[in-house]
């Protein structure tokens, strides 16, 4: 359904995920093949709200929160949760406040140049999907932690990487 048209989902909830700076959005889609509902967890972009309709697919509109292939976006579009290889469900620009920018398209080789949060430019296939907008929860690193105990509790939720 997403490969040619689009599919509509609704945001049911925006939740905190332990060990991650960005919130998650619980999106409920109707299954296109069976009579059932499918719940997906997306990284929430800034401006998402509960009850919002999310459209995923090639024919989806260019609005914040919608998921569409990079090739059908104009240059300069700010995206997040970008796929590195086609169909891997989003690998790049997923940290809170991060985003990637679509730079240019090459229609004959079906490839797109994107600028990643690190500043490197990467050439990826144009069928790779991405969410329009920047990841929510930005400005998290602006406030200093001030004491070791806060760093201890922050990294205790993640993995053994401190002290």
């Amino acid at each position: 359904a997403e490969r040619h048209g689009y599919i509509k989902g609704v945001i049911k909830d925006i939740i905190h995920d332990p060990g991650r700076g960005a919130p998650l959005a619980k999106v409920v889609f109707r299954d296109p093949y069976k009579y059932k509902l499918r719940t997906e967890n997306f990284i929430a972009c800034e401006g998402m709200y509960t009850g919002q309709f999310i459209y995923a697919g090639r024919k989806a509109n260019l609005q914040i929160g919608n998921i569409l292939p990079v090739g059908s976006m104009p240059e300069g579009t700010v995206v997040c949760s970008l796929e590195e290889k086609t169909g891997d469900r989003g690998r790049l620009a997923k940290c809170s406040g991060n985003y990637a920018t679509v730079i240019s398209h090459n229609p004959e080789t079906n490839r797109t140049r994107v600028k990643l949060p690190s500043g490197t430019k990467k050439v990826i296939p144009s069928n790779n999907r991405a969410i329009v907008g920047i990841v929510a929860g930005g400005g998290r690193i602006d406030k200093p932690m001030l004491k070791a105990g806060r760093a201890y509790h922050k990294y205790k939720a993640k993995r053994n990487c401190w002290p």
Side-chain angles (χ1 to χ4, degrees), residues 97-155:
N98 270 2
Y99 60 90
T101 314
V102 178
I103 300 174
S104 64
H105 301 296
N106 189 347
E108 51 259 20
T109 59
N110 204 22
R111 298 212 174 267
T112 300
R113 272 176 82 84
V114 289
K115 185 170 188 252
L116 298 179
S118 62
T120 54
K121 297 179 175 71
K122 192 174 171 85
V123 180
I124 59 169
S126 293
N127 309 4
N128 288 12
R129 296 166 300 182
I131 307 179
V132 182
I134 77 170
V135 186
R140 177 173 53 88
I141 54 169
D142 297 347
K143 181 175 174 235
M145 277 203 262
L146 292 177
K147 53 186 204 157
R150 294 203 184 127
Y152 169 80
H153 288 294
K154 173 189 172 181
Y155 290 112

Side-chain angles (χ1 to χ4, degrees), residues 11-72:
I11 299 184
K12 287 292 184 199
D13 201 6
I14 292 177
I15 54 173
H16 167 71
D17 185 21
R20 187 198 294 267
L24 294 183
K26 280 195 176 298
V27 186
V28 174
F29 291 99
R30 281 182 47 214
D31 191 296
Y33 307 112
K34 291 195 179 87
Y35 174 66
K36 58 165 58 171
L37 294 174
R38 298 263 186 215
T39 308
E40 297 287 340
N41 287 337
F42 291 115
I43 290 190
C45 345
E46 208 149 296
M48 275 185 176
Y49 53 91
T50 52
Q52 179 186 0
F53 288 120
I54 292 291
Y55 297 95
R58 173 159 289 163
K59 297 271 187 352
N61 289 334
L62 196 77
Q63 283 171 333
I64 285 187
N66 286 359
I67 302 152
L68 51 162
V70 185
S72 51

